[in-house]
Amino acid sequence: MSESIGFIGLGKMGLPMAKNLLKKGYYVFGLDVDQTAMSEFQSFGGNIGKIEDWVHDVQFILLMLPSSTIVNKVLQEILDAYSSEKNIQQESLMIIDMSSSYPTETRKNCERLDSHHICFIDAPVSGGVKKAIDGSLTVMAGGTSEHFERCKRLLGALGSNLFHIGPVGSGHLMKAINNYLSATHLLASCEAVQLLEAFDVQPEQAIHVINQSTGKSGSTEYKFPNFILNEEYNSGFTLDLLRKDVEMAKQIFIDAQAATSMPQLVFEKFNEASKALEKNADHTEINRFVSSYLLKRGISNEESKKNVTGCSDPSIRVRSSSM
């Protein structure tokens, strides 16, 4: 494999994705602010270095970053490094933003990079850490058909379900809506199962019946059995990240002047949960928060952050009021 890759963002998703590229024979340069992640990547056979050290040696740069703000900052660093040498012989560079970014920012970034003759597509993923590890992610790409075809083999090393959604920005739009739906399903499922439990229906039985009926979702089929019913709450995706994705979707609905209040309602619950639960709480721990308000056990929605630590339900782990 002759292609060289720059991979920026070696987090819980990015690190296993970068490792899969190494397994497929790509020559990969990795970069992250976390030195521990950098060391693990290097020990696996990856190469490390600053952007300016390898930007002229790669054909693709993949971004797996937590927000549009950070993506914009990193893109500027890439442009600064890319323009630092002149008269170089390099195949046209392509940047693939696999982060969860705002579609409007994505379209602006495409125009910005195009003025520097750098190709760009957005290709966010879904599937969580498990599928990042085994290379079976779902990839939702936005960009021209030509650009999608050029990077299709590379994306195939990371995911088993590749979709060309449409023009630039549509991949990030699809991801935001997908995560909004995932959050909505999860919240509704937690409320429904806890209500059933109050009427002496065992949660395991409730989930089994739902999964054989029309109310099933990814939350009931996968998250409840693997992370909630066993109270492991270790999916690898934090509540705060899902809160951020729901906030993004809410803003997209607002910008579109869509006549619905659902995104706002879902965001409010996840925002409250993010403030109440521990800083790095798993997103499936929304189930703990639901138990605090659904049947008026523990804290209520109206109680202030100051009173959250006085929650009478010991099953809910919360931050201290000083945080």
Side-chain angles (χ1 to χ4, degrees):
M1 187 86 55
S2 60
E3 290 158 321
S4 296
I5 314 294
F7 200 110
I8 304 177
L10 302 174
K12 290 182 178 179
M13 293 287 289
L15 183 57
M17 291 166 68
K19 287 180 177 179
N20 280 333
L21 292 176
L22 291 171
K23 290 177 184 177
K24 294 292 184 178
Y26 288 95
Y27 195 83
V28 186
F29 296 91
L31 183 61
D32 196 275
V33 294
D34 186 345
Q35 292 302 313
T36 300
M38 292 269 282
S39 297
E40 183 176 345
F41 176 68
Q42 188 175 28
S43 67
F44 197 79
N47 306 278
I48 61 174
K50 298 178 181 179
I51 294 173
E52 55 266 30
D53 295 334
W54 47 258
V55 68
H56 294 295
D57 299 319
V58 301
Q59 291 77 51
F60 299 92
I61 298 178
L62 276 61
L63 307 179
M64 194 63 180
L65 300 166
S67 70
S68 285
T69 300
I70 297 176
V71 167
N72 294 346
K73 178 177 180 295
V74 170
L75 285 178
Q76 187 57 56
E77 292 175 2
I78 292 172
L79 286 174
D80 291 343
Y82 189 72
S83 303
S84 63
E85 293 184 21
K86 298 180 180 180
N87 302 317
I88 59 170
Q89 296 297 319
Q90 180 183 8
E91 182 182 350
S92 178
L93 177 64
M94 173 174 282
I95 295 178
I96 305 173
D97 184 10
M98 307 190 80
S99 318
S100 293
S101 303
Y102 276 95
T104 51
E105 290 297 307
T106 299
R107 290 190 286 269
K108 291 177 184 177
N109 284 332
C110 183
E111 295 176 0
R112 178 182 173 196
L113 293 170
D114 185 61
S115 66
H116 292 268
H117 307 290
I118 297 175
C119 304
F120 178 81
I121 69 167
D122 52 306
V125 299
S126 180
V129 175
K130 182 179 179 181
K131 291 192 175 185
I133 292 172
D134 64 23
S136 62
L137 292 164
T138 293
V139 182
M140 318 164 198
T144 67
S145 297
E146 179 185 1
H147 289 166
F148 176 68
E149 288 300 321
R150 178 181 163 189
C151 64
K152 192 173 182 179
R153 183 176 63 175
L154 170 61
L155 296 176
L158 303 171
S160 57
N161 299 299
L162 309 182
F163 296 98
H164 182 210
I165 304 299
V168 163
S170 58
H172 282 146
L173 175 61
M174 187 76 244
K175 173 65 184 292
I177 298 303
N178 175 78
N179 281 20
Y180 159 68
L181 288 174
S182 177
T184 304
H185 297 160
L186 179 58
L187 177 62
S189 298
C190 290
E191 292 185 343
V193 171
Q194 290 197 30
L195 181 65
L196 287 166
E197 187 178 11
F199 283 85
D200 296 325
V201 177
Q202 292 300 308
E204 293 81 2
Q205 179 72 354
I207 288 297
H208 177 70
V209 173
I210 291 169
N211 285 339
Q212 303 304 314
S213 308
T214 57
K216 65 184 177 181
S217 67
S219 293
T220 62
E221 290 187 311
Y222 179 65
K223 295 178 184 180
F224 264 84
N226 290 284
F227 311 117
I228 297 176
L229 293 179
N230 58 14
E231 298 185 345
E232 293 291 335
Y233 300 114
N234 59 352
S235 75
F237 186 62
T238 68
L239 178 71
D240 195 55
L241 283 176
L242 186 55
R243 179 206 60 78
K244 181 205 70 173
D245 289 343
V246 175
E247 183 176 22
M248 184 187 304
K250 179 202 71 169
Q251 189 60 48
I252 290 170
F253 275 97
I254 291 173
D255 292 343
Q257 298 182 332
T260 176
S261 60
M262 184 67 73
Q264 177 66 36
L265 294 173
V266 176
F267 169 70
E268 286 174 0
K269 287 301 180 189
F270 275 87
N271 195 41
E272 290 169 6
S274 182
K275 292 177 180 178
L277 297 171
E278 291 181 341
K279 182 177 181 180
N280 294 314
D282 192 85
H283 79 285
T284 56
E285 291 189 68
I286 187 73
N287 186 63
R288 296 183 185 273
F289 183 69
V290 167
S291 72
S292 75
Y293 69 80
L294 187 69
L295 299 173
K296 302 186 183 300
R297 296 172 295 179
I299 61 175
S300 66
N301 296 345
E302 291 75 21
E303 285 182 298
S304 67
K305 184 178 177 182
K306 177 180 178 181
N307 294 325
V308 167
T309 54
C311 172
S312 61
D313 188 339
S315 69
I316 302 177
R317 306 202 317 267
V318 296
R319 301 177 186 178
S320 67
S321 59
S322 63
M323 293 182 69

